[in-house]
Amino acid sequence: MTLVQIGAVVAAMAGLAFAPPARGRMLLVPLAPGAAAKLPAAAVAGGAKLLGTGPVPGSLVVVADRARLGGVSLADGMVILSAPPLLCGGGVFGE
């Protein structure tokens, strides 16, 4: 295997590890400067239950249905990832 192939396999595995589920715990991460301020309202508007703060500044851990999170998108300066308990276990609001 070449170094490029190994890198592609590692990238694919990392992508799958952080791919958000259809429903369940998710990590919402702001990418744009103003997105962090809009993130909580966008999440709640999409029916998400806020669980706590995420490991990235301005990020949130939520329980949600991904299809309903229309206001949380790359176009809005936000990204949805899976929320592995090992990385996103602290700062609980409502559990």
Side-chain angles (χ1 to χ4, degrees):
M1 249 191 206
T2 68
L3 195 55
V4 172
Q5 289 172 322
I6 292 170
V9 169
V10 169
M13 291 174 68
L16 289 175
F18 289 100
R23 283 183 206 82
R25 286 174 57 104
M26 296 175 213
L27 177 64
L28 308 180
V29 181
L31 300 176
K38 298 175 187 175
L39 190 55
V44 171
K49 177 183 176 187
L50 302 177
L51 295 181
T53 57
V56 176
S59 66
L60 295 173
V61 179
V62 302
V63 173
D65 181 344
R66 187 180 62 206
R68 294 188 58 203
L69 292 174
V72 180
S73 69
L74 197 53
D76 298 311
M78 305 169 205
V79 67
I80 304 171
L81 303 171
S82 69
L86 183 62
L87 296 176
C88 304
V92 176
F93 290 140
E95 267 191 337

